[in-house]
Amino acid sequence: LQAQWQRPCTTMAPKKQTKKPLPKAPLKKEPAKKEATVETLFEHRPKNFAIGGDVQPKRDLTRYVKWPKFVQVQRKKKILLLRLKVPPSLNQFKTTADKSVAAQTFKLLKKYQPETKKERKERLLQLAAEGGKQSGKAPHFVKCGMNFVTKLIESKRAKLVLIAHDCEPMELLCWMPALCKAKDIPYMIIKGKSRLG
């Protein structure tokens, strides 16, 4: 028996017992307050947006609008211009004169603005009163119109040519800068045909 007690002990030490934390006591529930019911003529009921129910609220439907044809064409053209390779003759209309240069040019052109019908009538009446002879040279005015300007360029009588960048269709005007270069006439591409008038 003594030999058994002298042998080393192979049994494991007993596990420490860990106490599990007790669950927290439930919070005291306050007794629900009774809401004071106010009697009204109309019964409150939630809205029903199903078919045949209440009128639907207003929503932003711009994504689903069928846009006018000209708006669709504008948008599709913009996308195409971004995706396609544009030929140089059309691409040159993207580079327009900067704001300050355009402003100075318009200031100069204001002096040579074409006369109105009323002003022309007054000038001719005054000329007739003087005896029909024109004193000095004829007044200089800005000339407009594609055919007329083309004739002036070809005859080298044009001093400066202003071209709008957004003319439609562009095929009508894409050759004009090349003609101006061939005839050594300065030209400028201006942003907006509405500004040129």
Side-chain angles (χ1 to χ4, degrees), residues 161-176:
V161 178
L162 297 180
I163 306 166
H165 88 294
D166 57 348
C167 286
E168 285 292 330
M170 194 46 87
E171 289 78 24
L172 294 175
L173 275 178
C174 63
W175 47 267
M176 196 172 271

Side-chain angles (χ1 to χ4, degrees), residues 123 126-128 130-139:
R123 184 172 62 83
Q126 192 180 357
L127 189 69
E130 288 173 3
K133 288 189 178 179
Q134 198 169 4
S135 57
K137 290 184 179 178

Side-chain angles (χ1 to χ4, degrees), residues 149-158 175 179 183 185:
V149 170
T150 307
K151 283 177 189 175
L152 291 174
I153 295 168
E154 285 172 344
S155 60
K156 291 191 175 182
R157 285 192 292 156
W175 47 267
L179 181 65
K183 299 289 181 179
I185 291 168

Side-chain angles (χ1 to χ4, degrees), residues 40-56:
T40 57
L41 290 173
F42 303 101
E43 182 188 340
H44 173 72
R45 63 173 189 271
K47 287 192 174 184
N48 175 25
F49 293 122
I51 294 169
D54 293 308
V55 177
Q56 294 280 342

Side-chain angles (χ1 to χ4, degrees), residues 40-184:
T40 57
L41 290 173
F42 303 101
E43 182 188 340
H44 173 72
R45 63 173 189 271
K47 287 192 174 184
N48 175 25
F49 293 122
I51 294 169
D54 293 308
V55 177
Q56 294 280 342
K58 284 189 178 180
R59 295 186 181 90
D60 184 21
L61 299 173
T62 47
R63 270 182 65 86
Y64 310 103
V65 171
K66 187 175 182 187
W67 291 96
K69 191 75 175 175
F70 77 97
V71 174
Q72 289 178 30
V73 169
Q74 278 175 354
R75 289 176 181 175
K76 286 173 183 175
K77 183 185 172 186
K78 179 76 176 172
I79 292 163
L80 277 175
L81 287 174
L82 289 171
R83 292 183 185 172
L84 297 176
K85 286 186 177 179
V86 184
S89 58
L90 294 178
N91 194 50
Q92 65 185 341
F93 288 93
K94 284 185 182 177
T95 53
T96 56
D98 63 329
K99 203 173 182 180
S100 60
V101 174
Q104 285 177 334
T105 310
F106 286 125
K107 201 174 179 182
L108 173 72
L109 292 179
K110 193 93 174 166
K111 295 175 185 177
Y112 300 104
Q113 201 171 3
E115 59 186 353
T116 59
K117 286 183 178 180
K118 192 178 178 182
E119 287 171 351
R120 187 171 182 273
K121 189 178 179 182
E122 285 173 7
R123 184 172 62 83
L124 292 173
L125 283 170
Q126 192 180 357
L127 189 69
E130 288 173 3
K133 288 189 178 179
Q134 198 169 4
S135 57
K137 290 184 179 178
H140 294 289
F141 295 123
V142 175
K143 309 293 180 188
C144 55
M146 197 180 72
N147 291 339
F148 190 63
V149 170
T150 307
K151 283 177 189 175
L152 291 174
I153 295 168
E154 285 172 344
S155 60
K156 291 191 175 182
R157 285 192 292 156
K159 302 296 178 192
L160 173 68
V161 178
L162 297 180
I163 306 166
H165 88 294
D166 57 348
C167 286
E168 285 292 330
M170 194 46 87
E171 289 78 24
L172 294 175
L173 275 178
C174 63
W175 47 267
M176 196 172 271
L179 181 65
C180 289
K181 280 179 188 174
K183 299 289 181 179
D184 289 327

